[in-house]
Amino acid sequence: RAEMGASEMSEWQDIKSAPVDGTPFLAAIWVKVNDQPRHWRIYAVAYDAEFDEMDTDYESGWDLEDYAFWQPMPAPPAPRP
């Protein structure tokens, strides 16, 4: 899970255009947890339309439409020498 500020949202796309073929992507959701102020949380997720279910890196219980924005997964780090 990661958190981000509003200035970092410029590269994000509306969740309605997110892949639904099982391709993993980053998804942003606006949350309020306990006494914390509302903030963005970022999760690595994948949606499988055939089974109508989310696969997430964190058991959140959120559905695809609960997220606001998405972007492709970043490139992995270069291998270590």
Side-chain angles (χ1 to χ4, degrees):
R1 181 189 94 208
E3 296 180 12
M4 65 182 180
S7 65
E8 297 171 280
M9 292 296 296
S10 61
E11 297 177 21
W12 293 78
Q13 302 172 53
D14 190 287
I15 197 65
K16 293 176 184 171
S17 66
V20 293
D21 62 356
T23 301
F25 58 92
L26 297 179
I29 188 166
W30 187 241
V31 298
K32 174 147 179 44
V33 179
N34 301 324
D35 294 332
Q36 297 176 11
R38 291 183 66 84
H39 59 280
W40 289 105
R41 285 206 174 162
I42 310 304
Y43 296 95
V45 302
Y47 180 77
D48 188 336
E50 181 179 351
F51 296 102
D52 189 30
E53 62 187 22
M54 291 290 289
D55 180 23
T56 65
D57 68 345
Y58 172 74
E59 186 56 46
S60 63
W62 294 308
D63 294 321
L64 182 64
E65 61 271 5
D66 295 327
Y67 294 90
F69 299 98
W70 80 279
Q71 73 174 8
M73 295 291 288
R80 294 183 180 199

